[in-house]
Each structure stands twice: as C-alpha cells, then as structure tokens.
Amino acid sequence: MMRSDKLLKLVDRVTELGIDASKLTFSHAIIVLHRTSKSAWEARKRAYHKWGWSESDIHMAFLIHPPCMSLSEKKIMSIMEFCVNEMDCEAKSIARRPTVLLYSLEKRIMPRCRVIKLLMVKGLIGGPYNLLSLLAMTDKTFSERFITKYDNIPRLLDVYYGKLSLQDLGIDSSELAEPH
C-alpha cells in the first residue's frame, strides 16, 4: 500500500527508465524502487561497479530483471566472486542474464558447477558450456541432462549435494574453469 501520488511518481520513473508498462517487469520495477532507499540503491550500484559494470550495464540488468537491484551487496559480491573468479565467467555477461544473481550460491550455483566439472574430468561431457545457461536451466532439465543421465557415476550425487568436494576426489577444480 502506498499513497497514489507516490505510486504515480514511481510509474513515471519506471516509464522514464524505458520499461514497457504492459510487461510484468514493470510491476517488479515499481516494487523494487518502492522498497529500495536511495542509499541502498547507490550501494548496490557500487557493488556492480566493483565488477566493472558501467551505468548502462546496471540499467540494462535492471530493465531485464529489476530484482537484481534488491539484493544485498554481500550477495552480489559473493555470486560475482564465484562466477567470475572461480568459473571464469565474464562479469559483464552477467548483466545480460541478471536472473543468475538471484539464485542460491550454495543450493544451485555451486552444486551445478561441481557436477559439470566432475563430468568434464571424467570425459563424459565436453565443453565449453555457457555457465549462465547451465544455471538458468530448470531443476528438472539440469537433473535430466546431468544427474539422471549419469547416475552410474560413483559419488556424483555426493558431489552434487556437497557431501564430497572435487578435491576429495583428487580433482583440481581450478584447471576446469571455463570461459563463458
């Protein structure tokens, strides 16, 4: 709930940003802007700037998926750190797929990356894979393509569920970082 004059200002602001009022993204943008203080907005922009995003990258990410501006700086930094530094994903490519930033690092991003790395080491899949596409897959699709299909691989589920690290299997994951 908000006053009608405040809502009208938000609608004008979202329209000025270039978001089509007929799209669901429009209402998401209104919600994000309503709930985000100016100082929080600026702090999030600074977090993205640390990863080399320009103002236009931030604007593009917001247009694509407004909730990317509702994340804590800590979450932004941890996901960018993992995707860029450990998985060799280009930081600016994440601006084109900002939904990735809303995934859980521990429950989605890292488990999927561990599975892909294990399957690559075993020579069962080739690369390169687009990290952002792998992360955006539905759980069902990912499971069918990379878990169920290779259920004969010992310890695959242990790796997926984080009960066993790649290092426990003698795999140096840094050698498997892939370009986006």
Side-chain angles (χ1 to χ4, degrees):
M1 299 289 290
M2 71 177 85
R3 293 187 340 251
S4 61
D5 60 324
K6 184 166 176 132
L7 177 60
L8 287 174
K9 285 180 184 177
L10 285 173
V11 167
D12 287 344
R13 185 169 172 207
V14 172
T15 302
E16 287 170 11
L17 288 170
I19 298 178
D20 184 346
S22 68
K23 305 287 183 195
L24 184 59
T25 308
F26 190 84
S27 60
H28 289 166
I30 288 174
I31 291 166
V32 169
L33 290 173
H34 174 65
R35 292 181 178 167
T36 306
S37 69
K38 185 173 176 88
S39 62
W41 183 270
E42 291 303 317
R44 290 165 189 155
K45 282 176 53 175
R46 282 191 301 275
Y48 289 124
H49 284 303
K50 286 179 184 174
W51 290 99
W53 287 21
S54 65
E55 286 293 321
S56 63
D57 293 327
I58 294 168
H59 182 250
M60 175 181 58
F62 183 73
L63 291 177
I64 294 168
H65 197 67
C68 72
M69 290 303 286
S70 65
L71 300 170
S72 70
E73 298 89 273
K74 182 180 176 183
K75 179 158 183 166
I76 292 167
M77 297 305 284
S78 64
I79 290 180
M80 293 295 285
E81 168 78 25
F82 181 81
C83 290
V84 173
N85 293 340
E86 292 195 36
M87 296 306 298
D88 202 27
C89 183
E90 184 183 323
K92 287 188 176 243
S93 68
I94 297 170
R96 293 185 293 275
R97 298 283 290 270
T99 53
V100 168
L101 294 162
L102 278 79
Y103 301 145
S104 168
L105 184 61
E106 294 79 19
K107 293 179 183 175
R108 185 181 192 122
I109 297 172
M110 292 173 73
R112 289 184 180 198
C113 291
R114 288 190 300 260
V115 165
I116 295 303
K117 286 180 176 187
L118 177 60
L119 294 175
M120 289 179 75
V121 155
K122 297 276 187 184
L124 298 169
I125 60 173
Y129 274 96
N130 181 307
L131 174 66
L132 303 178
S133 295
L134 286 169
L135 298 176
M137 281 180 194
T138 65
D139 288 336
K140 182 180 183 208
T141 301
F142 184 84
S143 183
E144 288 170 354
R145 285 191 184 168
F146 301 106
I147 304 290
T148 309
K149 184 175 179 178
Y150 298 103
D151 66 354
N152 60 330
I153 301 301
R155 320 295 299 263
L156 180 65
L157 286 176
D158 289 336
V159 168
Y160 180 70
Y161 290 115
K163 296 176 183 175
L164 194 62
S165 73
L166 294 175
Q167 289 77 16
D168 292 337
L169 296 174
I171 298 170
D172 180 6
S173 63
S174 65
E175 295 174 11
L176 296 172
E178 292 188 50
H180 58 282

